[in-house]
Amino acid sequence: MDSSANEPKELIIVQNISFSYGYTDVLTDVTFSINSGDFLAVIGPNGSGKTTLIKIILGLLKPNQGGIRIMGKPLDEFTDWSSLGYVPQKATHIDPFFPVSVKEVVHMGLLSSRKFPRFSKKEEELSAHRALTHVGMERFKNWRIGNLSGGQQQRVFIARAIVNQPDILFLDEPTTGVDAETQEHFYDMLDKLNKKEGITIVLITHDYGVVNKHVTQVACLNQRLVYHGSHEEFCRSEAFKEILAEGHHMISHRH
Amino acid sequence: MKMEAFLSYGFLQRALLAGVFVAIACALLGVFLILKRDAMIGHGLAHVTFAGVALGLLLNIMPLAMALAIAVLTALGIMKLKETAGLYGDTAIAIFSSVGFALGILLVTLAHSFNVDLFGYLFGEILAINTSEVWLSVVLALIVVLIVILNYHKFMYVTFDREAAKASGIKVGHLDVALTVLTAVTIVLGMKVVGILLVSALVVIPAAAGLQLAANFKQAIVLSSIVAVISVVLGLFLAFYFDFPASGSIVILSFLFFGFSFLFKRLRR
């Protein structure tokens, strides 16, 4: 969390990324950048390459073409993984019987920053406590993760992702399977992390209708980057009209 | 009094020493394997181990060492095959285990070793374990336990949420190889305690019992180890005083513990 982040700087640069699974093109020549302080929504229909793009940025998938720079460094030279937080999509589909407590889940997040000699135990406890307090889950710390509701689990996964006080937080469809009211609280919490803590947020969603009042930037994907810019301009753009014309699918996919 | 007599025999001391260490190693790995939905790998590797033992008997090389080499290589082979050949879950295990066992039968026939020795490997012969095997077992089991405990948080993270672990910069591939090699070594050690045909029980059942009751991961690890150790110690006790087969007793006892924890969990609700 950089307090001197008043002037936007480019945290992540995505350059001419193309990716295909076998013969199916998923992403074609995608170029854009993410500035510090952004609250970016990555939107697009199912299969438009949203998750693939995030996985490429995080080094989980190798692009066929193009490159990523994170904080000025090419991806393969980047080592400061604790400055990135990631809440993967399947987090809502975790094994409900896995015997792991909320506290243990949050401690997992500390592993990326653990070096020899490692953080003192006290410091780790404090970081975990702080992260859980942030998401309002401190009193559940000894609960088994499977005994929590979907929304509560997501809060815990966010706590795990922010326990290292990252500069940037990636969330892939974080509110899938979460009721509308909880969703509102959830996005308010992300707002707070973005505005008060200065954490840059990259949010994959197909519910633009729900998140649009929170985000500052939009990247609209449909294999290619259809639009990238501010939320206000997006609403006036051709891309937005097209999406509206295409119907409800893109804006709100939930039934 | 009885306990003193129990412990005064050299062969029992050796059996207890090796049994306890190997039991802990088995239980620890069992927890990870079950949670990875890979519980049958132990069963598969045990069958392949048979080929290693047979090769050792044929070439007159310490069968335990031969079994270790074959098990580690096969485990890595299964891992690679799963990754690259796109075989469904346990297909690779099914293929390797049956081919391994078939190879074992061929080699054993060639070595003219269908005898007591072989039966010891198949059904366990912990009470007949010799001193060099005890030390090999204790040292290897200790190494397995230490590696698991030192990397326990990482193993837990990768098992629980592979994608997130990868994204946080953890070398997931290295951990996979480590867990595979540790599993192979542990299976071979377990074979010495309960035999090829029952070793997967020693890996799976105590861990399954621990997982029934655990509220968190640390508890799962500790409870599983306790169940494994008590099963081995009590099993040897029964074998000594009632002339029961040690391997069968150990496995039945651990199953009873599993049954108790299963019932306890349901009644507690």
Side-chain angles (χ1 to χ4, degrees):
Chain A
M1 275 171 270
D2 195 357
S3 55
S4 64
N6 292 335
E7 47 191 279
K9 61 175 189 190
E10 285 177 329
L11 281 184
I12 287 175
I13 302 173
V14 176
Q15 266 168 335
N16 308 105
I17 290 291
S18 294
F19 183 87
S20 53
Y21 285 109
Y23 294 108
T24 316
D25 290 334
V26 180
L27 292 169
T28 308
D29 202 21
V30 173
T31 299
F32 71 105
S33 55
I34 302 168
N35 290 332
S36 111
D38 279 358
F39 190 146
L40 169 74
V42 180
I43 61 172
N46 285 338
S48 57
K50 306 185 293 282
T51 298
T52 306
L53 177 64
I54 297 301
K55 285 188 177 175
I56 289 173
I57 293 176
L58 291 167
L60 298 173
L61 291 173
K62 287 229 174 306
N64 303 96
Q65 262 175 46
I68 304 286
R69 292 182 80 86
I70 303 183
M71 296 171 191
K73 281 190 179 159
L75 189 62
D76 44 8
E77 288 170 26
F78 181 77
T79 49
D80 186 17
W81 294 103
S82 61
S83 60
L84 308 182
Y86 174 44
V87 182
Q89 186 172 20
K90 65 162 187 203
T92 45
H93 309 293
I94 56 141
D95 173 4
F97 299 109
F98 203 102
V100 65
S101 69
V102 165
K103 213 166 101 183
E104 284 176 322
V105 171
V106 177
H107 274 269
M108 290 175 188
L110 289 163
L111 288 173
S112 57
S113 61
R114 193 182 275 179
K115 293 182 185 89
F116 289 103
R118 61 185 262 199
F119 266 134
S120 78
K121 220 174 167 175
K122 225 178 187 173
E123 227 172 290
E124 289 196 349
E125 291 287 335
L126 202 69
S127 307
H129 171 81
R130 210 173 335 153
L132 279 171
T133 309
H134 251 307
V135 297
M137 289 298 291
E138 166 61 19
R139 68 197 173 92
F140 294 98
K141 67 178 180 197
N142 292 322
W143 282 50
R144 217 169 130 146
I145 189 85
N147 292 341
L148 300 175
S149 72
Q152 289 172 323
Q153 283 177 5
Q154 282 302 58
R155 283 167 176 261
V156 175
F157 290 118
I158 289 185
R160 180 179 72 186
I162 62 171
V163 70
N164 285 315
Q165 301 182 286
D167 296 308
I168 180 160
L169 181 60
F170 295 88
L171 304 109
D172 192 347
E173 306 270 10
T175 54
T176 308
V178 175
D179 65 82
E181 196 185 338
T182 314
Q183 275 187 34
E184 262 316 303
H185 290 305
F186 187 83
Y187 289 118
D188 285 343
M189 185 193 73
L190 289 185
D191 248 350
K192 222 167 71 187
L193 287 175
N194 177 245
K195 302 209 165 71
K196 288 212 175 119
E197 305 290 327
I199 298 180
T200 304
I201 292 184
V202 179
L203 172 72
I204 293 186
T205 180
H206 52 223
D207 271 349
Y208 193 62
V210 178
V211 300
N212 61 19
K213 65 176 180 226
H214 301 278
V215 304
T216 59
Q217 301 281 310
V218 187
C220 182
L221 269 182
N222 199 353
Q223 190 184 318
R224 292 172 177 278
L225 187 65
V226 182
Y227 176 86
H228 176 236
S230 75
H231 163 66
E232 289 77 20
E233 278 172 45
F234 178 61
C235 292
R236 295 192 295 266
S237 70
E238 284 303 310
F240 186 67
K241 282 177 202 152
E242 254 173 58
I243 289 159
L244 280 183
E246 268 177 35
H248 208 53
H249 295 296
M250 179 110 165
I251 306 295
S252 174
H253 208 81
R254 211 179 304 287
H255 310 288
Chain B
M1 276 304 116
K2 270 192 162 180
M3 204 61 195
E4 263 174 44
F6 183 61
L7 289 175
S8 66
Y9 291 94
F11 71 93
L12 265 174
Q13 291 171 356
R14 286 196 293 274
L16 273 171
L17 191 63
V20 164
F21 276 92
V22 172
I24 297 174
C26 284
L28 289 188
L29 281 171
V31 170
F32 290 103
L33 294 176
I34 289 178
L35 292 170
K36 280 180 73 172
R37 305 282 186 276
D38 213 0
M40 286 312 282
I41 183 84
H43 194 70
L45 284 178
H47 282 71
V48 175
T49 299
F50 181 55
V53 167
L55 195 62
L57 290 172
L58 180 69
L59 301 177
N60 220 357
I61 300 172
M62 190 181 180
L64 195 60
M66 210 59 192
L68 272 172
I70 299 280
V72 169
L73 287 177
T74 310
L76 291 172
I78 291 176
M79 194 185 90
K80 269 275 158 276
L81 203 61
K82 264 167 123 177
E83 279 172 13
T84 52
L87 291 175
Y88 284 107
D90 48 8
T91 314
I93 294 177
I95 293 173
F96 270 97
S97 69
S98 35
V99 170
F101 209 75
L103 205 62
I105 295 170
L106 283 177
L107 290 171
V108 149
T109 312
L110 283 177
H112 304 292
S113 293
F114 265 116
N115 54 27
V116 185
D117 242 18
L118 184 69
F119 273 63
Y121 284 103
L122 284 174
F123 300 109
E125 48 164 10
I126 181 73
L127 290 169
I129 193 167
N130 66 38
T131 314
S132 59
E133 286 172 331
V134 171
W135 288 118
L136 185 64
S137 302
V138 169
V139 169
L140 284 178
L142 204 61
I143 291 174
V144 170
V145 170
L146 277 178
I147 293 178
V148 171
I149 289 179
L150 287 176
N151 294 288
Y152 142 89
H153 284 102
K154 285 185 184 166
F155 280 127
M156 172 174 74
Y157 197 178
V158 171
T159 311
F160 178 64
D161 194 341
R162 199 179 169 80
E163 198 91 289
K166 241 183 184 171
S168 72
I170 290 175
K171 304 264 183 290
V172 173
H174 294 187
L175 290 179
D176 282 347
V177 172
L179 199 65
T180 304
V181 172
L182 293 178
T183 305
V185 171
T186 305
I187 291 297
V188 175
L189 297 180
M191 168 194 85
K192 213 53 212 166
V193 180
V194 291
I196 286 170
L197 296 174
L198 287 176
V199 60
S200 69
L202 201 57
V203 173
V204 172
I205 301 178
L211 285 169
Q212 289 292 317
L213 302 178
N216 57 49
F217 205 77
K218 205 182 230 163
Q219 279 184 17
I221 295 279
V222 172
L223 288 172
S224 306
S225 305
I226 291 175
V227 170
V229 168
I230 295 179
S231 303
V232 166
V233 173
L234 270 184
L236 287 174
F237 192 81
L238 290 177
F240 182 69
Y241 282 106
F242 301 100
D243 216 10
F244 287 177
S247 57
S249 311
I250 291 169
V251 173
I252 297 292
L253 279 168
S254 61
F255 175 71
L256 288 178
F257 282 118
F258 170 76
F260 290 143
S261 43
F262 184 82
L263 284 178
F264 184 75
K265 187 186 177 188
R266 262 122 206 102
L267 291 177
R268 203 171 45 173
R269 278 188 185 159

